[in-house]
Amino acid sequence: MKADPSAQQQLLAVQELDARADQLRHQRTTLPENIRLGELETGRGDLDDRLRDARIVVDDLTVEQKKADADVEQVKARRTRDRDRMDQGLISSHKDLERMQHELESLERRINSLEDAELEIMEQLEEAQRTADSLTAQVQQTDDQIAELAAIRDARWAEIDGTLGEVEAARHPAVEGLPEDLLALYERIRAQKGGVGAAPLRARQCGGCHMTIDAAELSTIRATPADVVVRCEECQRILVRTPESGL
C-alpha cells in the first residue's frame, strides 16, 4: 500500500486522538467512585435480603404474639367465669365445688404456662424488631452513601464526557483527506491490536510493540520509498517513519 508521507504523519495524529479517547473511556468505567458504587449496590442487595427475612420473622412473631394473647385471655375469661359462679353460690354440690376448685387450679397453671410462652414470644419479637430496625438503618446509611458517591461520579463523568467530546470533535478534521484504504487498514489493525493501529518508528524502535528493529530490517525500511506504508514485522502495526527513526 502507498500513501503520501504527510498522510502517514497525519495518521499518527489520528492515533494520538484515538488513544486519548480510549484512555478517557477507560477512565470513565474505572473511576474509584464507580467501583465503590458497585460494591455498595451489591451490599445493598444483601441488606435488602436480610431485611426482608427480618421483617418476615417480625410478622410471624407478631401473629404468634396475637395468638398467645388471645389464648391467655380466653383461659382468663374461663377462670373469671368459674370464679363468679362459685362466688355467687351458683354451685351448691360439694362434689361440684371440689371439681370446680381443681379446675381453677388447672386453669391457673395453664395461664402461667401460656403467659411464660407469651413472654418468650414478646422477647423474641423485640429482638427481631431490633434486628429489623438496625438493618433498616444500615439500608438508609448505604442509600445515603450511594447517593453521595453517585453525585461525585456523575460530576466526574460530566468532566470526562466533556473532554471526550472535544477529542472526538477534533478527530473529524484529523481524518479528513486521509486515503480510505489507509484509514480502513488502520481501523482494522487498531481493532485487533488493543487500540493501536499506527505507531512511530523512533530511535529504531516500534512505538506500538516497543521492540527494537534489527539492523537488517532497518536497512530494508531505509531503502523503502517514503510513500510506501511500512508494517512492523513483530506486531504488524503501521510503522510511520519520523525524523527520529534512526534510519
Side-chain angles (χ1 to χ4, degrees), residues 13 132 183 206 231:
L183 186 58
C206 171
R231 305 274 295 275

Side-chain angles (χ1 to χ4, degrees), residues 98-151:
E98 187 174 303
R99 180 182 58 77
M100 185 68 73
Q101 186 62 45
H102 286 313
E103 184 174 337
L104 284 172
E105 291 173 359
S106 176
L107 288 174
E108 286 292 344
R109 290 193 296 272
R110 177 63 177 158
I111 288 170
N112 289 335
S113 176
L114 288 172
E115 286 180 338
D116 287 343
E118 181 184 31
L119 181 60
E120 182 177 348
I121 292 171
M122 289 175 62
E123 290 173 348
Q124 291 175 357
L125 178 56
E126 289 175 359
E127 178 62 29
Q129 188 61 60
R130 281 194 295 270
T131 299
D133 290 345
S134 174
L135 288 169
T136 299
Q138 291 179 57
V139 167
Q140 183 59 56
Q141 182 181 21
T142 301
D143 285 345
D144 292 344
Q145 289 178 312
I146 288 173
E148 181 180 353
L149 274 174

Side-chain angles (χ1 to χ4, degrees), residues 57-71:
V57 172
V58 169
D59 291 343
D60 290 346
L61 287 171
T62 299
V63 171
E64 284 189 45
Q65 184 184 11
K66 289 179 179 178
K67 184 179 182 302
D69 291 345
D71 289 344

Side-chain angles (χ1 to χ4, degrees), residues 63-89:
V63 171
E64 284 189 45
Q65 184 184 11
K66 289 179 179 178
K67 184 179 182 302
D69 291 345
D71 289 344
V72 170
E73 292 305 315
Q74 184 180 14
V75 177
K76 284 183 176 181
R78 183 176 176 183
R79 181 186 64 182
T80 300
R81 185 173 63 251
D82 288 350
R83 279 179 178 173
D84 288 346
R85 291 181 65 195
M86 291 177 66
D87 293 343
Q88 293 170 10

